[in-house]
Amino acid sequence: MVNNLDISSAMTIKLDDKLPEYPKFKEKVRRAPKRDLTLNDREIKLALKNALRYVPENLHEILAPEFLDELMEHGRIYGYRFMPKERIYGKPIDEYKGKCVEGKAFQVMIDNNLDHEVALYPYELVTYGETGQVCQNWMQYQLLKKYLEELTDEQTLAVMSGHPLGLFKSHKTSPRVILSNGLMIGMFDNPHDWAKATAMGVSSYGQMTAGGWMYIGPQGIVHGTFNTLINAGRKELGIPGDKDLAGHLFITSGLGGMSGAQPKAVEIANGVGIIAEVDYSRIETRFNQGWVSKITDDLEEAFEIAKKYMDKKQTISIAYHGNIVDLLEYAVNNNIQVDLLSDQTSCHVPYDGGYCPKGLTFDERTELLNNDREKFAEYVNKSLGEHFRAVKTLVERGTYFFDYGNAFMKAVFDSGVKEIAKNGVDTSEGFIFPSYVEDIMGPMLFDYGYGPFRWVCLSGKTEDLRKTDQAAMSVIDPNRRGQDRDNYIWIRDAEKNQLVVGTQARILYQDALGRRDIALKFNEMVREGVVGPIMLGRDHHDTGGTDSPFRETSNIYDGSNVTADMAIHCYAGNAARGMSLVALHNGGGVGISKSINGGFGMVLDGSERVDDILKKSIPWDTMVGVSRRSWARNEHSIETTIEYNKKFDGQDHITIPFVANDDLIEKTLNNYNQ
């Protein structure tokens, strides 16, 4: 029979058999609330055995009771003892050990995700979105680092929900890392069964860019938020294309990892924003980072400041320390005109702490989560109903409300408010309020291929980021489309707007060929020694990265919005073309079973090999989404696909739909029914 000594002898990459010292926790670091624990005795035993399999047998007797305490106290086993004692942050790439540039690059990205300045709950490996983890526990983190140090340019590391399965021989044009997070078999693909799986240590919620190691702080969403706000103003408030939100009020909630972009975006758009947040530590973080300008816990003062700046047509962002429902009800009761309204709390997990109900302080919310989840759920359901009624009243008075893809409307529906559904029965026909993808991002950006292209200067040098900004700007033709004009101004002003939190990174909404040309320009700069190595990636919340009827595919109306073919093909196609890292996740942004999303990371080392991969993979990564949207008969995507087919005649060819006449369909149906 095989014993643990045989097992240890068969591995050269493994955790040490020396017990690390237990860490000291800093008081002011945010901690995740206790996660829901529904395991029976058999499953608790499995959870312990699953955690102990990472560590040598001589440590089991000490760690077993420690891991059990963690499970019962926190709802998960995090393996705190294995957390690094030194500061974690994205260091310059040359400070990492590794046998290939990709192996070192991924370590930069992982550590940037867990930087205390970046991560939401760094001790629990949660980067953003309340539950989005880099990996499940600190044993996985330590093992991942060891594997990445050994990774060569002819191997691929397989990672399953944070677990490094191992290194396998491949070739130089293969992905260096293939990873997935939270994928569940159909009948078990629901929050309850997934929660059991993750508590047992066999699944992980990667969100979108947390478990894909491509998070770049709140900057990762700020350009998309800016695009949403400015285009909402153009569409609903009649603002001309060359003007901004001066004199207009935007109200929303959330100042966490992704929602923290909102105040910065509204200031770049020159509007006035009031953002409600119940967790003062998140307000403090954004204020210290310069991402929100004013703090108040007084409703009257918040609106007085807003009016003063609106009258002067000057910009300001105001963090209201309090509940969004109280803020909205104050606006309703005092007949305050709100121009734009949204919400960015983590409503994909409303009962796990993602939504703090009216009537509870943040500390009371955490206490109830730990001790009486049933009572907490009652508070959440009641508050969501009141939240909905306040929104509905403001909309009736002329406010433009849009769901920001955080599953707010689905959460309201699930709380028992059926009238938020268009048909008042189920969500099959959507909701009475638009998703921002339906109204804005889909038709104005995604249908053309514009999405959240991003890059990280792995040298950590500010001057490298400055040079890449200039290079990207040189590729953009501001006279081509309105979107390109917006992009040119965005990248021109990026440094002035002080967007960097964590390592030196940038976001730019760009279309397929724009991304390709910028990427090739960057690789040329690396080759010539102008800048150090660069990591390319994107948010999975993109033209072709994600299938989600409640967000990314909400403006696809041919019935395929509930299928997941696009994300799978995006992922597989990127692997086939040699992207450095390819990722496939369940649930990103809107929750388990509500989306499948695929992402990538591409390390630019200056080689011709990388040039070849970029030419094949970057257009595919975007055009797979444009093609899907075109096939759904989205007009702008059809236009973009026709243009693409002409440009790549003899190389690529995309199927384009013939559009049936609505009157003919109606006539045919009527004739049949007569």
Side-chain angles (χ1 to χ4, degrees):
M1 184 176 179
V2 176
N3 58 44
N4 281 327
L5 182 61
D6 296 329
I7 290 168
S8 182
S9 299
M11 292 189 293
T12 56
I13 303 173
K14 56 189 174 183
L15 297 186
D16 299 333
D17 60 3
K18 183 179 178 182
L19 190 70
E21 290 184 14
Y22 201 81
K24 294 180 180 178
F25 297 101
K26 297 177 182 177
E27 288 186 9
K28 291 194 174 182
V29 176
R30 282 184 296 269
R31 301 296 300 276
K34 181 181 179 180
R35 303 305 187 189
D36 193 18
L37 187 65
T38 59
L39 303 185
N40 58 35
D41 287 346
R42 180 188 67 83
E43 292 162 339
I44 288 172
K45 290 175 185 176
L46 270 179
L48 286 173
K49 292 173 71 174
N50 290 343
L52 289 169
R53 60 187 165 182
Y54 286 102
V55 295
E57 184 182 10
N58 65 302
L59 305 180
H60 286 191
E61 190 170 347
I62 295 174
L63 290 175
E66 193 172 292
F67 285 170
L68 180 59
D69 285 344
E70 284 185 17
L71 183 63
M72 304 313 289
E73 183 179 348
H74 301 285
R76 302 288 185 271
I77 296 173
Y78 295 113
Y80 291 120
R81 186 180 287 273
F82 292 87
M83 184 170 64
K85 307 308 181 286
E86 69 278 4
R87 178 193 168 200
I88 302 177
Y89 68 102
K91 298 184 286 290
I93 189 171
D94 291 339
E95 295 185 24
Y96 289 89
K97 298 177 184 177
K99 295 181 177 178
C100 67
V101 65
E102 291 91 346
K104 293 190 285 186
F106 300 145
Q107 293 180 69
V108 176
M109 302 307 296
I110 288 172
D111 284 352
N112 186 62
N113 275 16
L114 293 170
D115 185 338
H116 282 208
E117 294 296 313
V118 174
L120 177 61
Y121 303 130
Y123 289 147
E124 288 75 39
L125 302 110
V126 174
T127 302
Y128 72 98
E130 193 60 37
T131 53
Q133 290 184 287
V134 170
C135 52
Q136 298 174 53
N137 57 57
W138 290 104
M139 294 83 77
Q140 288 183 346
Y141 169 88
Q142 296 288 3
L143 201 51
L144 280 167
K145 297 297 283 288
K146 287 179 178 289
Y147 270 109
L148 290 170
E149 288 175 358
E150 294 298 321
L151 178 71
T152 73
D153 63 1
E154 292 188 336
Q155 291 176 311
T156 295
L157 173 63
V159 183
M160 298 183 180
S161 280
H163 167 63
L165 190 71
L167 290 176
F168 296 88
K169 182 72 174 174
S170 54
H171 50 79
K172 290 182 184 295
T173 56
S174 298
R176 299 280 72 84
V177 172
I178 293 179
L179 61 83
S180 58
N181 280 290
L183 300 178
M184 304 287 286
I185 299 297
M187 66 183 291
F188 301 101
D189 192 8
N190 59 75
H192 173 75
D193 284 313
W194 174 84
K196 274 184 170 288
T198 196
M200 286 188 287
V202 295
S203 190
S204 185
Y205 193 71
Q207 257 286 354
M208 288 190 157
T209 53
W213 310 341
M214 268 308 304
Y215 188 67
I216 59 170
Q219 182 185 176
I221 196 174
V222 71
H223 195 186
T225 308
F226 166 79
N227 277 327
T228 301
L229 293 178
I230 200 72
N231 283 302
R234 290 166 180 167
K235 181 177 182 294
E236 299 295 329
L237 306 178
I239 294 171
D242 59 347
K243 300 297 181 184
D244 53 35
L245 292 181
H248 293 286
L249 177 62
F250 170 58
I251 288 182
T252 185
S253 62
L255 285 172
M258 299 298 273
S259 55
Q262 296 180 108
K264 174 70 78 172
V266 79
E267 288 195 355
I268 295 173
N270 204 33
V272 171
I274 305 176
I275 303 93
E277 172 58 67
V278 291
D279 180 356
Y280 192 77
S281 74
R282 303 186 199 197
I283 294 175
E284 199 171 34
T285 296
R286 297 301 168 224
F287 182 74
N288 291 337
Q289 291 170 345
W291 279 58
V292 70
S293 298
K294 187 78 176 175
I295 302 171
T296 182
D297 60 3
D298 185 283
L299 286 166
E300 185 177 358
E301 182 184 28
F303 282 103
E304 283 178 355
I305 296 169
K307 187 176 186 307
K308 176 183 173 183
Y309 278 81
M310 288 164 65
D311 289 345
K312 294 190 297 183
K313 295 194 182 308
Q314 293 179 357
T315 187
I316 192 170
S317 60
I318 305 155
Y320 166 63
H321 182 215
N323 196 284
I324 181 63
V325 183
D326 292 326
L327 181 69
L328 296 183
E329 289 179 344
Y330 184 92
V332 168
N333 295 335
N334 290 274
N335 293 309
I336 296 170
Q337 176 59 39
V338 179
D339 298 308
L340 302 175
L341 174 62
S342 192
D343 182 84
Q344 232 184 98
T345 50
S346 296
C347 281
H348 65 286
V349 283
Y351 306 109
D352 290 332
Y355 181 88
C356 183
K358 177 187 172 183
L360 295 180
T361 65
F362 185 71
D363 289 341
E364 289 169 342
R365 154 265 196 195
T366 305
E367 182 70 21
L368 264 186
L369 271 173
N370 290 340
N371 299 311
D372 193 344
R373 281 183 167 266
E374 190 172 325
K375 186 70 174 176
F376 179 74
E378 291 175 11
Y379 271 102
V380 168
N381 289 338
K382 183 174 183 291
S383 183
L384 283 168
E386 293 174 356
H387 196 157
F388 165 74
R389 285 186 286 277
V391 169
K392 188 165 182 270
T393 300
L394 289 169
V395 168
E396 289 166 353
R397 295 178 183 177
T399 296
Y400 174 64
F401 172 82
F402 54 94
D403 183 295
Y404 210 103
N406 63 332
F408 169 73
M409 291 193 291
K410 182 65 165 61
V412 169
F413 179 85
D414 290 343
S415 75
V417 183
K418 304 306 180 186
E419 67 176 292
I420 199 169
K422 276 185 181 176
N423 60 18
V425 177
D426 57 39
T427 62
S428 62
E429 297 176 46
F431 301 99
I432 62 173
F433 303 130
S435 154
Y436 76 120
V437 173
E438 281 184 286
D439 259 22
I440 302 163
M441 297 294 281
M444 296 182 179
L445 291 160
F446 289 168
D447 283 357
Y448 291 97
Y450 291 92
F453 183 62
R454 57 177 67 176
W455 63 92
V456 175
C457 295
L458 295 166
S459 67
K461 296 177 181 178
T462 304
E463 57 264 36
D464 278 11
L465 185 59
R466 187 176 298 122
K467 290 172 184 175
T468 58
D469 284 345
Q470 292 295 321
M473 191 165 61
S474 73
V475 172
I476 299 168
D477 176 6
N479 299 313
R480 178 172 169 245
R481 286 193 189 118
Q483 295 93 328
D484 295 299
R485 182 187 64 246
D486 288 347
N487 280 346
Y488 185 86
I489 294 169
W490 172 266
I491 203 69
R492 182 195 69 191
D493 297 343
E495 185 175 8
K496 179 184 74 174
N497 288 324
Q498 299 179 316
L499 301 171
V500 173
V501 176
T503 194
Q504 298 296 312
R506 188 67 76 222
I507 179 104
L508 173 66
Y509 267 66
Q510 193 50 264
D511 67 348
L513 300 186
R515 300 186 207 195
R516 179 201 64 185
D517 294 344
I518 291 171
L520 289 168
K521 179 76 171 177
F522 287 174
N523 199 45
E524 180 184 10
M525 293 166 69
V526 176
R527 183 161 50 244
E528 295 175 352
V530 177
V531 296
I534 291 171
M535 181 85 168
L536 295 183
R538 58 166 172 75
D539 193 335
H540 308 189
H541 170 49
D542 195 7
T543 297
T546 301
D547 288 294
S548 174
F550 302 110
R551 193 159 79 172
E552 285 79 5
T553 51
S554 61
N555 77 315
I556 288 180
Y557 303 108
D558 68 346
S560 69
N561 60 329
V562 298
T563 67
D565 296 314
M566 179 175 68
I568 305 297
H569 274 269
C570 187
Y571 163 82
N574 284 339
R577 289 165 177 81
M579 290 286 206
S580 305
L581 177 151
V582 290
L584 188 68
H585 299 167
N586 182 5
V590 293
I592 288 293
S593 78
K594 299 180 183 70
S595 107
I596 297 292
N597 61 86
F600 77 84
M602 184 68 210
V603 180
L604 308 186
D605 61 7
S607 66
E608 292 183 4
R609 171 186 66 85
V610 166
D611 279 345
D612 188 53
I613 293 171
L614 293 174
K615 290 172 185 176
K616 295 181 175 72
S617 62
I618 296 290
W620 158 260
D621 182 70
T622 306
M623 289 308 297
V624 66
V626 175
S627 303
R628 160 83 175 286
R629 293 167 187 280
S630 168
W631 191 242
R633 296 182 291 273
N634 291 16
E635 185 176 355
H636 296 316
S637 288
I638 291 175
E639 295 165 0
T640 304
T641 305
I642 290 171
E643 182 182 327
Y644 188 87
N645 273 2
K646 290 177 180 177
K647 188 174 185 67
F648 289 92
D649 184 31
Q651 299 178 55
D652 296 355
H653 190 276
I654 299 168
T655 308
I656 305 172
F658 294 103
V659 180
N661 182 279
D662 286 341
D663 291 338
L664 173 63
I665 299 299
E666 193 70 33
K667 179 181 176 182
T668 303
L669 188 60
N670 288 338
N671 288 341
Y672 180 83
N673 290 329
Q674 285 176 358

